Amino acid sequence: MAHLCRMKIVCIGRNYADHAAELGNTVPSEPLFFFKPESAVLHQDHPFTIPEWTQDCHYEVELVVRLDRAAKWIEQGHASRCYTQIGLGLDFTARDVQQQLKKAGKPWEKAKAFDGSAVLSREWVPLTELGGDVQDLRFSLLKNGEVVQEGHTADMLFPVDALIAHVSRYSTWKTGDLLFTGTPAGVGPVQSGDHLEGRLGGRTMFALDVL
Ligand code: ZN
């Protein structure tokens, strides 16, 4: 996947009210974003290794949008021109480390940008095949065969096009960049031996073991 060699990953925090509430956070007045480096990507169903420096590593399943054109200062009304492909991913988060950083008013990168923290689905699905409306997609995460997270993109606080427009004011979108659009409620810890499976509509988008 040569196009992945030069890209950035933009992740959105607190984009579902029920998830913001479960972590005791207020709902943001504008999109909250952060970056993961390319070295964070875990591809194609590789196993995930929990870093030894965290005791509370959480899964967060998220709809992922791949930009297939560049965009700077794009308006929300034009943002849908920038993508056609939809994926699913996990934003692995060292929650204990993140809580310490948040309390200290420090950036989250140590808790969010580590190796393997950005799981990507094995396929990208044309939005047209999913019904054409990015705000009407259902996705879920199963842990050891049980559903632990269920999301519907209609519940986003900021819709995909608003996220793309907002980020483009600060950072130019390049072809191949990825947008993790935030996680719904139900986040929780992983343990060695867990099996995680992400679904978008009826499709299994990724499946991986936790080591
Ligand atoms: Zn997230």
Side-chain angles (χ1 to χ4, degrees), residues 11-14 19 34 36 60-62 91 93 112 180-183:
C11 300
I12 305 298
R14 304 177 198 167
H19 168 64
F34 56 93
K36 287 186 191 257
E60 296 188 356
V61 71
E62 311 197 3
D91 165 19
T93 303
K112 286 284 197 181
F180 277 60
T181 58
T183 196

Side-chain angles (χ1 to χ4, degrees), residues 2-190:
H3 65 276
L4 288 174
C5 293
R6 292 182 300 279
M7 58 93 170
K8 61 177 169 295
I9 301 170
V10 180
C11 300
I12 305 298
R14 304 177 198 167
N15 202 27
Y16 289 83
D18 55 359
H19 168 64
E22 76 180 342
L23 293 185
N25 292 315
T26 53
V27 165
S29 57
E30 63 171 33
L32 170 65
F33 68 91
F34 56 93
F35 296 100
K36 287 186 191 257
E38 188 188 326
S39 50
V41 170
L42 190 67
H43 276 301
Q44 308 276 353
D45 305 335
H46 283 297
F48 172 71
T49 304
I50 301 172
E52 90 284 347
W53 43 260
T54 174
Q55 310 312 315
D56 194 25
C57 187
H58 278 200
Y59 53 78
E60 296 188 356
V61 71
E62 311 197 3
L63 192 87
V64 183
V65 175
R66 194 174 77 189
L67 280 282
D68 45 29
R69 57 187 288 181
K72 182 176 177 64
W73 274 103
I74 192 155
E75 289 172 34
Q76 182 175 345
H78 295 156
S80 66
R81 297 176 190 169
C82 298
Y83 58 90
T84 58
Q85 306 286 314
I86 303 298
L88 198 68
L90 287 174
D91 165 19
F92 274 122
T93 303
R95 194 71 70 202
D96 47 354
V97 176
Q98 187 196 27
Q99 301 292 12
Q100 291 164 11
L101 294 168
K102 275 164 66 175
K103 210 180 288 178
K106 291 179 175 171
W108 297 357
E109 272 75 3
K110 244 170 41 173
K112 286 284 197 181
F114 56 88
D115 290 356
S117 63
V119 173
L120 291 177
S121 51
R122 51 175 81 125
E123 62 172 333
W124 295 90
V125 184
L127 179 57
T128 49
E129 277 183 34
L130 297 166
D133 183 354
V134 76
Q135 299 309 141
D136 186 19
L137 300 176
R138 291 182 187 280
F139 59 98
S140 60
L141 181 71
L142 287 79
K143 186 172 98 166
N144 305 325
E146 279 183 33
V147 176
V148 288
Q149 287 192 277
E150 280 185 297
H152 186 203
T153 56
D155 297 328
M156 287 182 183
L157 295 171
F158 300 98
V160 169
D161 291 358
L163 299 174
I164 290 172
H166 179 78
V167 171
S168 82
R169 298 172 61 191
Y170 304 92
S171 186
T172 300
W173 289 106
K174 302 278 187 77
T175 301
D177 287 349
L178 303 178
L179 173 64
F180 277 60
T181 58
T183 196
V187 301
V190 289

